[in-house]
Amino acid sequence: MTGIRLTAPAPGWAIDADVVVVGSGVAGLTTALRCAAAGLATVVVTKARLDDGSTRWAQGGIAAALGEGDTPEQHLADTLVAGADLCDESAVRTLVTEGPDAVRRLIKTGAHFDTTDTGDIALTREGGHHRRRIAHAGGDATGAEISRALVEAVRSAALHTVENALVLDLLTDAEGRTAGVTLHVMGEGQHDGVGAVHAPAVVLATGGMGQVFSATTNPPVSTGDGVALALRAGAEVSDLEFVQFHPTVLFLGSDSEGQQPLVSEAVRGEGAHLVDASGTRFMVGQHELAELAPRDIVAKAITRQMQLHGTEHMYLDARHFGAEMWKQRFPTILAACRAHGIDPITEPIPVAPAAHYASGGIRTDLRGRTTVPGLYACGEVACTGVHGANRLASNSLLEGLVFAERIAADIVEDRPRATEAAAPVPKAATLVADRDTERDTDPAPSPLLAPEARTTIQRIMTRGAGVLRSAASLVTAADDLEALHNSAAADAWATGPKRAEPGVEAWEATNLLLVSRVLVAAARQREETRGCHWREDRPERDDETWRRHLVVRLTPDRRLVLSRTESEAFPPVHPAGAPDCATATTTHPTPEEP
């Protein structure tokens, strides 16, 4: 454990449970339902409402070998290719073999997928898939349907839920084992202010960190809170440099920031073409799958065309679908386009890449266990090794589903009970509200960023660590982020308006800075181009040196340590601080955690 914590008031209330699940997407709710069904007292904590996470925004669908002639081996092969030889094959094999039955159990839970005239599940194709294996719902509203079904199941089961709550930090007992979390309820939930959930098992299913960039498909709540919490708790994270930029996001203008409308890959799966302003297709001849090449290849091709033509976007042409197909198959996308003055039935859609999915995250084993005993991670916040350097389309919902079931099985097998768990040990930097007392107990306080720093971080990251990266751009980004950190540290003991006060926006900005600095440090270290990590100054892939994972952790004295694994497979998960199988350690002496 690092002892590093966010500055926050002491908890004013507490809940006891066997398991606390943080997050309410497919990963979090599936875990919670399985744990509750086994008789464990389960609490779900979510940052907004139960149905407000990233899952509800998923358009394309969920990938699984469900169709005639398709097999898990074929799904595995497509996943390994998309991951640019950096997937952990054992993790992928787990995903594709357990995936079909996991989807069937999801259907039994109440999710309704689109079907054919014969009653079979309707399947489509997306980038990187050689077969039609994407199950979808409501045409292009798959995530919304999965979220609806799981939320309904959670409410029917009367699970204890705490909505509108931002998780702060991990609580541990005297042995360093997980003992719960602290959280802040934002005035609309069951409790108000900072509190705690005491539980010997904590599952982080907090989603992604897309809000580190100016333009993203992620909802505003995706501020990397889970990854930041895990780092502060001493857990290892991996592959944060591999941020997938979705190739086809509705272009709303160069100054547009925040969550952008996604134009699902399924539109290309049904035959839409990528074209330039003259109507010329540019993916033909670049890859055997043309517009259905893996996402990193398509995003790079669009970016090159934008550079070549000096424009800020390309076009997706699906006029040949006709009005009826648009209305039946892609009603959500049709409505989003029309809301912004574009009619895809009669004109091409302007598109450009935007931050979409974090392939990396908190390092776990195949049971979702992290390097901190009792702490689990699942979904986009986790790095299981499934995605490698670039996620295969529609594998994300499946990963959340499969590994959620595995986490629940592991927790149930261990069957920790809140009544048997040791009491959490208070940490002064987290629990003490008085600054004079805090100065005595924590001579190096955790400085909070002012809320307005969020926009600054996003612009730094977009300029320096976006689709195109180089040594120069990454150095500039690192220096600018360091300046933000130093400014916050200098203001930590200031009085008056310069000092950031504890609160949701300050905590989110502080989390964004931490994950941004780790991402940039890893991107600087990886001197090659692989998957969705594109180094202009290192355009070739270097398998001999870099067919490896970068594992990152924070030390108690706040040093950032990067290690390179010995192969594309992850070393075993050990308790935090224990030696592992990683090599080529790099230490950043400057504190990487505000």
Side-chain angles (χ1 to χ4, degrees), residues 63-79 92-93 95-100 104 123 129-133:
L66 297 165
E68 184 178 352
D70 197 5
T71 65
E73 285 296 323
Q74 294 176 69
H75 190 182
L76 180 140
D78 286 345
T79 301
V92 179
R93 192 170 296 279
L95 178 83
V96 300
T97 55
E98 297 182 10
R104 295 182 184 105
L123 301 172
H129 293 273
H130 283 79
R131 282 191 174 272
R132 299 179 74 91
R133 66 167 64 96

Side-chain angles (χ1 to χ4, degrees), residues 121 199 284 521 549 564:
I121 295 175
V284 176
H549 299 276
R564 190 168 66 242

Side-chain angles (χ1 to χ4, degrees), residues 396-445:
S396 52
L397 291 175
L398 189 71
E399 183 197 32
L401 194 62
V402 167
F403 285 88
E405 294 187 340
R406 291 185 139 250
I407 287 172
D410 192 75
I411 293 173
V412 170
E413 182 180 337
D414 190 42
R415 295 194 75 82
R417 292 291 179 180
T419 55
E420 302 169 359
V425 178
K427 299 292 185 180
T430 303
L431 306 182
V432 177
D434 180 78
R435 285 187 169 268
D436 292 332
T437 304
E438 188 176 355
R439 183 190 290 237
D440 292 338
T441 56
D442 185 9

Side-chain angles (χ1 to χ4, degrees), residues 287-303:
H287 190 276
E288 60 167 335
L289 297 177
E291 280 89 355
L292 287 178
R295 287 178 178 176
D296 63 313
I297 293 172
V298 180
K300 290 172 187 176
I302 291 174
T303 303

Side-chain angles (χ1 to χ4, degrees), residues 565-591:
T565 62
E566 293 183 332
S567 73
E568 71 276 10
F570 279 118
V573 168
H574 296 297
D580 59 20
C581 303
T583 59
T585 299
T586 301
T587 301
H588 289 227
T590 303

